[in-house]
């Protein structure tokens, strides 16, 4: 995980909300309907043929809406998986202090300056804490690979 990947979280969160709104709008959209007549028979004996009037959504329009919903649901699942990956990365940070800084910075989308104000740090100190965490993480990975 990189800082750049983590920094995408607020945009992913906004995208997920937008997709949910779009899906809801599509699901509740009124689709034009057409009338027609069909042949059928009575349920009981004698099975007399009858004509029934039916009303149905315009098939092409209904199919188009179904495809749009499926496409948006697919994208939403992808966005949710990426958000979950970021959340799990931050959840694995053992140091509560660093974890909280990461949550503010990446999950809540605060700037380093805003996070610093909460802790009485400068913007630079918050940035340094984040950078040091990644350096330590990379060193740990290198040691494990050797």
């Amino acid at each position: 995980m990189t800082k750049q990947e983590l920094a995408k979280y607020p945009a992913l969160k906004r995208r997920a909300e937008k997709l949910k709104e779009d899906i809801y709008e599509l699901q509740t959209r009124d689709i034009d309907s057409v009338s027609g007549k069909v042949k059928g028979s009575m349920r009981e004996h004698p099975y007399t043929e009858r004509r029934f009037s039916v009303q149905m959504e315009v098939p092409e329009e209904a199919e188009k809406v179904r495809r749009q919903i499926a496409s948006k649901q697919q994208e939403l699942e992808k966005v949710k998986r990426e958000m979950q990956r970021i959340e799990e990365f931050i959840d694995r940070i053992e140091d509560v202090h660093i974890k909280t800084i990461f949550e503010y910075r990446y999950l809540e989308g605060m700037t380093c300056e805003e996070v610093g104000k909460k802790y009485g740090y400068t913007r630079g100190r918050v940035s340094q804490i984040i950078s040091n965490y990644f350096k330590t993480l990379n060193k740990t990975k290198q040691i494990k690979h050797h």
Side-chain angles (χ1 to χ4, degrees):
M1 184 74 57
T2 65
K3 289 181 197 179
Q4 292 77 17
E5 289 173 299
L6 290 171
K8 292 178 185 176
Y9 189 88
L12 290 168
K13 193 173 182 178
R14 286 190 300 275
R15 183 66 186 153
E17 290 305 314
K18 171 79 169 80
L19 288 166
K20 287 177 192 173
E21 290 169 10
D22 290 351
I23 290 167
Y24 177 77
E25 187 274 322
L26 286 165
Q27 289 172 333
T28 57
R29 176 184 287 178
D30 284 331
I31 297 174
D32 291 337
S33 57
V34 291
S35 298
K37 295 201 182 282
V38 296
K39 289 182 191 178
S41 63
M42 302 294 286
R43 289 185 186 195
E44 303 85 30
H45 188 69
Y47 302 111
T48 310
E49 186 178 285
R50 294 195 48 203
R51 291 185 180 274
F52 299 91
S53 292
V54 293
Q55 197 79 21
M56 65 181 272
E57 295 175 336
V58 175
E60 299 82 16
E61 190 177 342
E63 182 56 31
K64 179 181 171 188
V65 169
R66 273 192 287 281
R67 279 195 312 271
Q68 288 174 328
I69 290 170
S71 173
K72 290 189 182 290
Q73 285 174 330
Q74 225 174 12
E75 184 183 352
L76 179 59
E77 287 309 310
K78 184 179 172 188
V79 167
K80 284 180 175 179
R81 281 192 303 274
E82 186 59 24
M83 288 172 65
Q84 184 175 3
R85 202 168 76 83
I86 292 168
E87 290 165 2
E88 288 171 356
F89 173 83
I90 292 174
D91 282 344
R92 286 191 300 270
I93 298 173
E94 292 178 13
D95 184 302
V96 177
H97 181 69
I98 295 172
K99 180 187 281 193
T100 306
I101 288 173
F102 271 70
E103 288 170 341
Y104 283 139
R105 176 72 182 100
Y106 297 109
L107 299 184
E108 295 184 24
M110 296 174 116
T111 64
C112 287
E113 189 173 342
E114 291 168 329
V115 175
K117 285 181 183 175
K118 285 192 166 288
Y119 281 96
Y121 293 154
T122 63
R123 179 199 61 74
R125 178 66 183 131
V126 171
S127 186
Q128 184 181 40
I129 290 169
I130 292 169
S131 292
N132 286 345
Y133 179 79
F134 278 106
K135 285 177 189 169
T136 303
L137 192 64
N138 289 333
K139 284 180 186 175
T140 305
K141 282 182 184 176
Q142 287 174 358
I143 291 170
K144 286 182 180 178
H145 289 318
H146 288 350

